[in-house]
Amino acid sequence: VQLQASGGGLVQAGGSLRLSCAASGGTSSSVSVGWFRQAPGKEREFVAAISWSLGTTYYADSVKGRFTISRVSAKNTVYLQMNSLKPEDTAVYYCAAGLSAVVLRTRPDYWGRGTQVTVSS
């Protein structure tokens, strides 16, 4: 499975961005997809995930109520809508995938290349 992330950029605090993750190849139509992020000097952390079967969503506490993960199955694409962005959301965001959304939160099977999100104060 190949994952292509896009949509990062520079935004002011309080603004919004939408990230996209397009999956292709292999079993891309039946994998759960999630987002992780890594800020400078920090470990990579889970952000959000969506299961392929029921569309069940999972969020890190730090983004609940501000970020929304969704999918368009026909396009094999998952989106991360990020609202009310804060400077602490600044990080490289990575798209990831796995057979289980629950397991994906700690041990993804596939990784995409990251996209930079910078939130200025």
Side-chain angles (χ1 to χ4, degrees):
V1 175
Q2 291 78 48
L3 303 169
Q4 182 65 48
S6 61
L10 173 65
V11 65
Q12 289 188 331
S16 299
L17 279 176
R18 189 178 78 160
L19 305 183
S20 300
C21 176
S24 61
T27 56
S28 59
S29 61
S30 59
V31 291
S32 297
V33 178
W35 291 93
F36 289 73
R37 66 186 182 186
Q38 187 167 21
K42 295 187 177 181
E43 293 187 354
R44 191 173 299 187
E45 62 176 2
F46 169 76
V47 175
I50 185 166
S51 69
W52 76 269
S53 55
L54 298 178
T56 305
T57 56
Y58 303 86
Y59 296 96
D61 289 342
S62 59
V63 306
K64 280 181 182 177
R66 300 188 298 122
F67 291 12
T68 302
I69 190 169
S70 61
R71 65 180 184 182
V72 177
S73 298
K75 295 183 178 181
N76 275 0
T77 300
V78 169
Y79 302 96
L80 185 68
Q81 179 66 43
M82 306 185 293
N83 298 329
S84 302
L85 283 162
K86 305 175 182 179
E88 50 263 45
D89 293 318
T90 295
V92 177
Y93 283 70
Y94 296 89
C95 180
L99 296 181
S100 163
V102 174
V103 176
L104 166 64
R105 292 182 293 178
T106 56
R107 289 184 286 113
D109 295 313
Y110 309 98
W111 288 99
R113 299 175 69 176
T115 183
Q116 177 71 46
V117 171
T118 303
V119 184
S120 63
S121 57

